[in-house]
Amino acid sequence: MTFKRMILFSFLLIFFISGPYSGYSQSKQYTISGKVLDDALNVPLEYATIAITSPSDPEFLDGGVTDINGEFSIKVPPGVYNITIEFISYTPKSFKNKTVESDLDLGNIKLGISSSSLDEVVIRAETTQVEVRLDKKIYNIGKDLTTKGGTVSDALSNVPSVAVDVEGSISLRGNENVRVLINGKPSALAGFGSTDVLGQLPAEAIDRVEVITSPSARYDAEGTAGIINIILRKDKTLGFNGSISTNIGYPESYGITANVNLRTDKYNLFNTTGYNYRSGPGGGNFDTRYFQGDFGRVLENRDYDRSNKGFNTNLGMEYYLNDKSSITGSAFFRYGDGEDITTNLTQKFQNNALAQETLRREVELEEDKSFQFSLNYVNRFNEEGHKLTMDFQYERGEEEEPAFITENVRINNTAEENPFLASEEVFTKEKQNEYLIQADYVLPIGEDSQFEAGFRGNFENEETDYNLNIEDEATGRLVRNDTVSNIFDYTENVNALYTQYGTKFGDFSFLLGLRLENTQLKGTIDTEFSEEDLVNTFGFEIDTDFDNNYLGLFPTVNLIYELAETENVTLGYNRRINRPRGWFINPFPSRASRTNVFQGNPNLNPSYASAFDLGYLKRWDKITLTSSVYYQYETDAFERVQQGTGEFFEGIEIIRTIPINLATNERIGAEAGVLYNPAKWLRLNGSVNFFQFKTEGDFNGIDYGAKNNSWFGRFSSKVSLPANIDFQTNAFYRGAQENAQTQSDGIFSLDLALSKEIFKERATLSFNVRDLLNSRKRNSLTTTDRFIQESEFQWRERQFTLTLIYRFNQKKRDQNRNRQNGGEDDGGDFEG
């Protein structure tokens, strides 16, 4: 049986197995029905609860929830009942002593916002709230003023446990081996194996962020630190509504994003389209002292002038086949056009005297396009959660990066003539194709148990064509350098089956799962280098045609004990994998300068980690506390190390940075977060994370073992002033840290924001400053047996942004109510 037929057979089997559960017969009873509406907006309230009790005995007899149209239908035997309709933050409505001797239609039931809870609704919508599930924490971003006009990366930098460094790299609890998903799946919105695109998408697109430090078996085992799942907005309100956001900033930036939604009884049509331009000046200084070579000290002063234009659109429609099943199709397209100009002024010293000064200028253009098509089918067999979900996704991306590099000698105090510094032309072209097929089946067993099973296949191919032309000194023509030019074809195929079971015994719940994954990492390198040349160039043997298969079992255990309604303890265990990808594998160098190169390592093996997490949550009237301690043990962990190559350019040794597999990486840490609302006008939010990691291992006879303690913390305050004005402050500090070779100083940043509601709360005008003190700079000291280097690096300077958001057919209160309805249904959450 072929692989495709096996998948088809599995899907059909699930259909046949689940079919008998989708319908059942009942004895003749009478129906109580009605429709629940918002009294002011006259729109349906989905998930309103209906409770049916006996007048003589208040014990709950039966009940249900309203559907997407606000309607409910409940069968009961003949009798006399009390009927109560409730919805969060609305005033309940009751019907007393209703005699049911035939079908009873209560008609339209209108609920109004409770005056006592109106302020609470606004608070919940505008501050980051946390929900704890068996396998994750969910942070509702709310109206974070400091990210208005910003990007998804900016929004993530304000999520507890998550940190975004000065170069945009995302880490979870200090670990960069984190998997980023969009709506629960790998996506072109997050880039192909990269998070660069998140720095271009608007923050307003986010509904909530799920921080999954102990992922259940339902999730991909990739990412030893865990998973960050970004859930994008998708409105549930009937009719036509939406919002338009515009922003302008300094350094020069501007953009416009429109979110529109049209919903009827049969379909939901949604679209997000945006255009933005951002400039990003930055810079760095590098002071390197060499122990050998013609020059004992080299100073480099780099200036970065980056600009990027981006267009993105996401168009989709959800069609309701019936009241229990729907199919959703969506297409996403993104286009980027960027220009990076890097100027590198290098000063070389002999005996503390300036001997030579050169100016290197690199102009790199970047044009990239991504397309994604996805199809989703959901069949809810009943209201108890029995359902089948099937997904198909196809992505294609293309990226072209032409670059031209010139370098000239400005000062030469050596005895030699001015050296010839050849101009270089680099052309990089990448093509990516990725397919995803997935099926998830959920079967509730009784009231407190649930069984799940599923399959996911992810098939990705990436081809990188790297071409280097170097100026010939005799002719002045650009000639192809065959020793560096190459084509790297890389394929990653992952097939996974999983099953999990969860249940609840009183106040105790557990979720046990097992995931089986087969990983194929395959690559070919088309180069004119011989094997001997490769060994001489890279310092180790390289397999130019590799095909590696890894089969692994990944168990998960998640436990939760409810100490009280507002207090619980969680315990989680999971095994994870970190697969080497992209530029970590490609062995041909990319160069920040002629003497500093980064080089991938195709000999990298996946690393595996086992992680334990013990958490505690407590809610009081105005305070929410979340805390946890965690431990992780990783084998074959990745580490980037710097080594001298023994090769020299104009008297300076060429330094190579390369990723390697170390023996182990052991991490232990603790974190705590507090959400405090002492008054209606004041909201406070703080978190801190302490961690220690210890690495052991050697490479090429050098011991790279290290032990480091570090921490990071953030604090946010939001003050509601008269006249619909809000003021927000966000502060972040990342403590000093070090690895086997590099010590990095702590980094502090401060963001401020001010906003005002205008046009009867249909629009919001906000102004924010990111990195007010211009202090997001990385200062490092690297020490090796060949050199010592001090450096300061700043990826992006202080940013000022003015943003206007206008909502049509959608007041601020509408958004609050919609969020209470539960937002996007990502399916399958088991809470016990």
Side-chain angles (χ1 to χ4, degrees), residues 398-417:
E398 293 183 3
E399 184 175 289
E400 293 185 357
E401 293 183 3
F404 192 73
I405 304 168
T406 58
E407 188 166 2
N408 300 305
V409 177
R410 295 174 47 158
I411 299 174
N412 189 19
N413 295 325
T414 65
E416 301 177 0
E417 296 182 1

Side-chain angles (χ1 to χ4, degrees), residues 451-465:
F451 168 80
E452 294 183 48
F455 165 82
R456 174 183 283 185
N458 207 83
F459 314 100
E460 179 182 351
N461 175 261
E462 179 178 335
E463 182 182 277
T464 303
D465 188 344

Side-chain angles (χ1 to χ4, degrees), residues 737-804:
Q737 55 185 341
E738 63 179 292
N739 59 22
Q741 294 181 317
T742 302
Q743 299 175 346
S744 299
D745 295 341
I747 299 175
F748 175 78
S749 65
L750 180 67
D751 303 335
L752 300 179
L754 193 70
S755 80
K756 176 175 173 55
E757 298 297 322
I758 57 178
F759 301 144
K760 299 181 179 180
E761 295 191 355
R762 292 192 177 277
T764 303
L765 183 66
S766 62
F767 174 75
N768 66 57
V769 185
R770 293 191 60 81
D771 193 15
L772 176 70
L773 305 178
N774 205 36
S775 56
R776 280 181 62 88
K777 300 177 182 180
R778 183 181 62 212
N779 291 280
S780 302
L781 173 65
T782 299
T783 304
T784 75
D785 60 339
R786 306 285 187 102
F787 66 91
I788 296 176
Q789 183 183 83
E790 294 182 72
S791 64
E792 179 182 271
F793 179 79
Q794 183 178 30
W795 181 253
R796 189 175 69 184
E797 296 179 1
R798 174 175 44 217
Q799 180 80 38
F800 301 87
T801 307
L802 181 67
T803 303
L804 175 65

Side-chain angles (χ1 to χ4, degrees), residues 129-385:
Q129 298 293 313
V130 61
E131 303 172 34
V132 174
R133 304 284 177 89
L134 266 169
D135 57 351
K136 61 191 170 188
K137 293 183 179 72
I138 302 174
Y139 294 96
N140 297 308
I141 296 299
K143 295 188 63 179
D144 191 335
L145 304 181
T146 61
T147 62
K148 293 299 181 187
T151 67
V152 171
S153 290
D154 295 331
L156 288 178
S157 66
N158 289 338
V159 174
S161 303
V162 179
V164 182
D165 71 9
V166 294
E167 295 181 87
S169 297
I170 298 170
S171 62
L172 181 58
R173 291 175 168 174
N175 188 346
E176 292 185 3
N177 296 332
V178 59
R179 179 70 153 164
V180 178
L181 304 177
I182 302 291
N183 293 334
K185 306 178 190 67
S187 174
L189 277 72
F192 290 86
S194 168
T195 57
D196 294 343
V197 180
L198 300 180
Q200 302 172 25
L201 294 175
E204 285 81 10
I206 296 181
D207 178 60
R208 64 185 188 273
V209 175
E210 298 177 347
V211 176
I212 310 172
T213 53
S214 184
S216 69
R218 180 190 313 121
Y219 294 99
D220 186 0
E222 171 75 22
T224 55
I227 294 172
I228 297 174
N229 186 24
I230 301 170
I231 307 297
L232 302 181
R233 293 187 185 277
K234 181 178 167 186
D235 213 310
K236 283 180 170 286
T237 307
L238 282 173
F240 179 69
N241 57 84
S243 64
I244 296 177
S245 173
T246 61
N247 66 82
I248 187 169
Y250 177 83
E252 187 180 5
S253 67
Y254 50 85
I256 180 169
T257 300
N259 291 280
V260 294
N261 191 87
L262 175 62
R263 180 160 189 168
T264 70
D265 293 336
K266 291 300 294 180
Y267 65 85
N268 184 26
L269 186 66
F270 52 92
N271 174 252
T272 299
T273 298
Y275 174 83
N276 63 80
Y277 171 85
R278 291 180 68 122
S279 61
N285 299 293
F286 304 83
D287 184 353
T288 308
R289 299 177 184 270
Y290 293 92
F291 302 147
Q292 53 184 310
D294 295 342
F295 301 103
R297 184 184 185 190
V298 176
L299 299 179
E300 294 183 58
N301 187 344
R302 299 180 195 168
D303 288 323
Y304 303 94
D305 186 7
R306 298 181 300 272
S307 62
N308 184 274
K309 302 173 186 176
F311 171 81
N312 59 273
T313 185
N314 182 35
L315 176 64
M317 184 177 75
E318 181 177 9
Y319 182 76
Y320 309 107
L321 302 172
N322 51 52
D323 59 349
K324 296 186 182 299
S325 63
S326 65
I327 186 168
T328 303
S330 64
F332 169 80
F333 174 76
R334 186 183 68 84
Y335 174 79
D337 182 11
E339 180 182 60
D340 293 354
I341 300 176
T342 304
T343 304
N344 191 349
L345 178 64
T346 302
Q347 295 176 311
K348 305 171 186 178
F349 293 83
Q350 292 177 333
N351 300 321
N352 294 323
L354 179 63
Q356 191 179 98
E357 181 178 276
T358 62
L359 182 65
R360 182 179 189 267
R361 190 171 188 267
E362 177 180 358
V363 179
E364 180 183 77
L365 305 179
E366 180 178 343
E367 183 179 16
D368 59 285
K369 293 176 286 187
S370 297
F371 170 79
Q372 173 185 295
F373 172 76
S374 60
L375 200 61
N376 166 266
Y377 169 76
V378 178
N379 187 9
R380 298 175 178 85
F381 299 103
N382 56 37
E383 300 296 335
E384 283 72 46

Side-chain angles (χ1 to χ4, degrees), residues 334-561:
R334 186 183 68 84
Y335 174 79
D337 182 11
E339 180 182 60
D340 293 354
I341 300 176
T342 304
T343 304
N344 191 349
L345 178 64
T346 302
Q347 295 176 311
K348 305 171 186 178
F349 293 83
Q350 292 177 333
N351 300 321
N352 294 323
L354 179 63
Q356 191 179 98
E357 181 178 276
T358 62
L359 182 65
R360 182 179 189 267
R361 190 171 188 267
E362 177 180 358
V363 179
E364 180 183 77
L365 305 179
E366 180 178 343
E367 183 179 16
D368 59 285
K369 293 176 286 187
S370 297
F371 170 79
Q372 173 185 295
F373 172 76
S374 60
L375 200 61
N376 166 266
Y377 169 76
V378 178
N379 187 9
R380 298 175 178 85
F381 299 103
N382 56 37
E383 300 296 335
E384 283 72 46
H386 181 197
K387 68 177 181 178
L388 173 70
T389 305
M390 302 178 72
D391 291 276
F392 169 79
Q393 188 169 286
Y394 169 70
E395 304 175 20
R396 179 176 177 82
E398 293 183 3
E399 184 175 289
E400 293 185 357
E401 293 183 3
F404 192 73
I405 304 168
T406 58
E407 188 166 2
N408 300 305
V409 177
R410 295 174 47 158
I411 299 174
N412 189 19
N413 295 325
T414 65
E416 301 177 0
E417 296 182 1
N418 281 353
F420 171 72
L421 302 179
S423 298
E424 298 180 1
E425 183 182 58
V426 181
F427 187 81
T428 306
K429 185 174 183 179
E430 293 184 10
K431 294 181 180 179
Q432 302 129 329
N433 285 280
E434 187 170 355
Y435 295 87
L436 180 142
I437 54 175
Q438 181 174 335
D440 299 283
Y441 176 69
V442 181
L443 175 64
I445 302 174
E447 293 185 359
D448 297 321
S449 301
Q450 183 168 290
F451 168 80
E452 294 183 48
F455 165 82
R456 174 183 283 185
N458 207 83
F459 314 100
E460 179 182 351
N461 175 261
E462 179 178 335
E463 182 182 277
T464 303
D465 188 344
Y466 182 86
N467 191 72
L468 173 63
N469 299 319
I470 299 180
E471 182 184 6
D472 181 82
E473 183 176 6
T475 65
R477 298 176 58 187
L478 293 170
V479 180
R480 187 176 190 268
N481 184 323
D482 294 327
T483 61
V484 175
S485 300
N486 69 95
I487 298 177
F488 180 51
D489 191 289
Y490 174 69
T491 297
E492 178 181 299
N493 297 326
V494 181
N495 289 285
L497 292 169
Y498 81 89
T499 183
Q500 62 184 19
Y501 175 77
T503 192
K504 181 177 182 180
F505 299 100
D507 295 326
F508 176 76
S509 304
F510 71 80
L511 182 62
L512 307 178
L514 184 64
R515 189 177 185 92
L516 174 67
E517 285 196 353
N518 175 257
T519 300
Q520 180 190 40
L521 304 179
K522 183 170 61 174
T524 59
I525 304 171
D526 183 1
T527 174
E528 296 189 14
F529 263 20
S530 66
E531 291 187 8
E532 183 179 353
D533 292 333
L534 289 170
V535 173
N536 292 335
T537 300
F538 301 124
F540 53 89
E541 293 185 1
I542 288 179
D543 189 352
T544 59
D545 188 359
F546 60 91
D547 188 351
N548 301 321
N549 277 270
Y550 308 90
L551 183 67
L553 281 173
F554 301 91
T556 62
V557 179
N558 287 288
L559 314 174
I560 186 168
Y561 182 71

